[in-house]
Amino acid sequence: KQEVTQIPAALSVPEGENLVLNCSFTDSAIYNLQWFRQDPGKGLTSLLLIQSSQREQTSGRLNASLDKSSGRSTLYIAASQPGDSATYLCAVLPLTDSWGKLQFGAGTQVVVTP
Amino acid sequence: DAGITQSPRHKVTETGTPVTLRCHQTENHRYMYWYRQDPGHGLRLIHYSYGVKDTDKGEVSDGYSVSRSKTEDFLLTLESATSSQTSVYFCAISEGQSETQYFGPGTRLLVL
């Protein structure tokens, strides 16, 4: 069974620093990997989706890399802002399952201090 | 934001009562999902649908049933609610089975 791990569980950085969030998965047979953001009491917002054939994906200050062979993805957020404070979740879509059954990590809670 | 609404947004019920949660989408997406989110367990898939009247079980389907009679609506029913079903329930939709999933705002359910 695919297992997705996010370390650390919580992270605090001063405003302006770059954020580096890690996601690891045990089975490299994946369709894609997705990064989400969740604000307290809210639903998930999709940030980036990386296909298994891609090495990275970028959107504004966000950049996500994927190393499928080593089972790792990293989300970089440049020049962090207090508004980036949220919980960030990664999820993988296993190749063995074709019905969108995402496997989620537990998330990294990020606090950006002014 | 994807057009997904969930109702009710909050519900308190008693053990043994039936509960139905509704997910409504305006995007005409084929795939719909129900997840629950619990501390220490993260997000887990309960049931999903790949078309009208086409549904299947997810990871934690015991005690839950679903129905989808129209493209836009996906209902989750707790036949006889238990305290272990106290959770936050999220609906999600996607255009394709490997496409980005878009999530609704969630329903907080408390079973006393």
mmCIF file of all heavy atoms in Angstrom, chain B residues 7 28 35 37-38 42 64 66 80 82-83 87 93 107-108:
data_model
loop_
_atom_site.group_PDB
_atom_site.id
_atom_site.type_symbol
_atom_site.label_atom_id
_atom_site.label_comp_id
_atom_site.label_asym_id
_atom_site.label_seq_id
_atom_site.Cartn_x
_atom_site.Cartn_y
_atom_site.Cartn_z
ATOM 1 N N SER B 7 -23.828 20.701 1.629
ATOM 2 C CA SER B 7 -24.845 21.036 2.611
ATOM 3 C C SER B 7 -25.216 19.809 3.427
ATOM 4 O O SER B 7 -25.205 18.681 2.900
ATOM 5 C CB SER B 7 -26.095 21.602 1.920
ATOM 6 O OG SER B 7 -26.611 20.669 0.987
ATOM 7 N N ASN B 28 -20.111 20.231 -14.224
ATOM 8 C CA ASN B 28 -20.391 19.108 -15.123
ATOM 9 C C ASN B 28 -19.234 18.108 -15.182
ATOM 10 O O ASN B 28 -18.992 17.463 -16.221
ATOM 11 C CB ASN B 28 -20.717 19.597 -16.538
ATOM 12 C CG ASN B 28 -21.490 18.576 -17.341
ATOM 13 O OD1 ASN B 28 -22.334 17.863 -16.808
ATOM 14 N ND2 ASN B 28 -21.196 18.481 -18.634
ATOM 15 N N TYR B 35 -14.549 12.364 0.930
ATOM 16 C CA TYR B 35 -13.442 12.098 1.836
ATOM 17 C C TYR B 35 -13.880 12.462 3.260
ATOM 18 O O TYR B 35 -14.756 13.285 3.462
ATOM 19 C CB TYR B 35 -12.226 12.967 1.515
ATOM 20 C CG TYR B 35 -11.534 12.688 0.211
ATOM 21 C CD1 TYR B 35 -11.927 13.329 -0.963
ATOM 22 C CD2 TYR B 35 -10.450 11.813 0.159
ATOM 23 C CE1 TYR B 35 -11.261 13.088 -2.159
ATOM 24 C CE2 TYR B 35 -9.781 11.575 -1.027
ATOM 25 C CZ TYR B 35 -10.186 12.220 -2.188
ATOM 26 O OH TYR B 35 -9.525 11.986 -3.356
ATOM 27 N N GLN B 37 -11.837 13.773 6.914
ATOM 28 C CA GLN B 37 -10.559 14.243 7.430
ATOM 29 C C GLN B 37 -10.577 14.204 8.942
ATOM 30 O O GLN B 37 -11.442 14.818 9.580
ATOM 31 C CB GLN B 37 -10.261 15.672 6.953
ATOM 32 C CG GLN B 37 -8.868 16.156 7.349
ATOM 33 C CD GLN B 37 -8.545 17.516 6.765
ATOM 34 O OE1 GLN B 37 -9.403 18.383 6.654
ATOM 35 N NE2 GLN B 37 -7.290 17.707 6.358
ATOM 36 N N ASP B 38 -9.633 13.473 9.503
ATOM 37 C CA ASP B 38 -9.549 13.305 10.946
ATOM 38 C C ASP B 38 -8.123 13.533 11.410
ATOM 39 O O ASP B 38 -7.172 13.129 10.727
ATOM 40 C CB ASP B 38 -9.961 11.876 11.336
ATOM 41 C CG ASP B 38 -11.326 11.495 10.822
ATOM 42 O OD1 ASP B 38 -12.300 11.996 11.399
ATOM 43 O OD2 ASP B 38 -11.414 10.728 9.846
ATOM 44 N N GLY B 42 -5.407 12.078 8.521
ATOM 45 C CA GLY B 42 -5.409 12.815 7.272
ATOM 46 C C GLY B 42 -6.702 12.621 6.509
ATOM 47 O O GLY B 42 -7.760 12.305 7.080
ATOM 48 N N TYR B 64 -21.184 3.693 5.406
ATOM 49 C CA TYR B 64 -21.563 4.764 4.494
ATOM 50 C C TYR B 64 -22.134 4.183 3.196
ATOM 51 O O TYR B 64 -21.699 3.127 2.742
ATOM 52 C CB TYR B 64 -20.359 5.625 4.105
ATOM 53 C CG TYR B 64 -19.631 6.282 5.243
ATOM 54 C CD1 TYR B 64 -18.505 5.685 5.807
ATOM 55 C CD2 TYR B 64 -20.028 7.523 5.729
ATOM 56 C CE1 TYR B 64 -17.812 6.294 6.841
ATOM 57 C CE2 TYR B 64 -19.338 8.149 6.757
ATOM 58 C CZ TYR B 64 -18.231 7.527 7.306
ATOM 59 O OH TYR B 64 -17.537 8.148 8.329
ATOM 60 N N VAL B 66 -23.669 5.771 -0.833
ATOM 61 C CA VAL B 66 -23.728 6.958 -1.682
ATOM 62 C C VAL B 66 -24.739 6.731 -2.794
ATOM 63 O O VAL B 66 -25.105 5.594 -3.109
ATOM 64 C CB VAL B 66 -22.349 7.297 -2.302
ATOM 65 C CG1 VAL B 66 -21.371 7.810 -1.250
ATOM 66 C CG2 VAL B 66 -21.789 6.104 -3.051
ATOM 67 N N SER B 80 -26.774 4.763 10.021
ATOM 68 C CA SER B 80 -27.026 4.825 11.463
ATOM 69 C C SER B 80 -25.761 5.414 12.094
ATOM 70 O O SER B 80 -24.793 4.697 12.327
ATOM 71 C CB SER B 80 -27.309 3.427 12.013
ATOM 72 O OG SER B 80 -27.491 3.471 13.413
ATOM 73 N N THR B 82 -22.645 6.816 14.064
ATOM 74 C CA THR B 82 -21.927 6.431 15.272
ATOM 75 C C THR B 82 -20.937 7.539 15.629
ATOM 76 O O THR B 82 -20.566 8.359 14.770
ATOM 77 C CB THR B 82 -21.149 5.119 15.078
ATOM 78 O OG1 THR B 82 -20.101 5.342 14.121
ATOM 79 C CG2 THR B 82 -22.061 4.010 14.571
ATOM 80 N N SER B 83 -20.476 7.539 16.870
ATOM 81 C CA SER B 83 -19.561 8.590 17.310
ATOM 82 C C SER B 83 -18.254 8.577 16.516
ATOM 83 O O SER B 83 -17.610 9.622 16.336
ATOM 84 C CB SER B 83 -19.275 8.453 18.809
ATOM 85 O OG SER B 83 -18.721 7.184 19.092
ATOM 86 N N SER B 87 -16.556 13.818 12.194
ATOM 87 C CA SER B 87 -15.445 14.130 11.310
ATOM 88 C C SER B 87 -15.788 15.360 10.479
ATOM 89 O O SER B 87 -16.872 15.924 10.590
ATOM 90 C CB SER B 87 -15.176 12.931 10.377
ATOM 91 O OG SER B 87 -14.020 13.143 9.590
ATOM 92 N N ILE B 93 -14.324 17.010 -6.853
ATOM 93 C CA ILE B 93 -14.698 16.675 -8.220
ATOM 94 C C ILE B 93 -13.462 16.737 -9.108
ATOM 95 O O ILE B 93 -12.477 17.413 -8.793
ATOM 96 C CB ILE B 93 -15.772 17.644 -8.775
ATOM 97 C CG1 ILE B 93 -15.223 19.070 -8.895
ATOM 98 C CG2 ILE B 93 -17.023 17.629 -7.908
ATOM 99 C CD1 ILE B 93 -16.184 20.050 -9.587
ATOM 100 N N THR B 107 -18.127 19.709 5.402
ATOM 101 C CA THR B 107 -19.238 19.619 6.359
ATOM 102 C C THR B 107 -18.683 19.080 7.669
ATOM 103 O O THR B 107 -18.068 18.015 7.676
ATOM 104 C CB THR B 107 -20.344 18.683 5.853
ATOM 105 O OG1 THR B 107 -20.959 19.223 4.697
ATOM 106 C CG2 THR B 107 -21.398 18.464 6.937
ATOM 107 N N ARG B 108 -18.916 19.839 8.745
ATOM 108 C CA ARG B 108 -18.489 19.361 10.067
ATOM 109 C C ARG B 108 -19.644 18.612 10.697
ATOM 110 O O ARG B 108 -20.724 19.174 10.902
ATOM 111 C CB ARG B 108 -18.100 20.539 10.959
ATOM 112 C CG ARG B 108 -16.830 21.198 10.527
ATOM 113 C CD ARG B 108 -16.366 22.260 11.507
ATOM 114 N NE ARG B 108 -15.064 22.772 11.097
ATOM 115 C CZ ARG B 108 -13.904 22.227 11.436
ATOM 116 N NH1 ARG B 108 -13.889 21.164 12.220
ATOM 117 N NH2 ARG B 108 -12.762 22.750 11.024
#
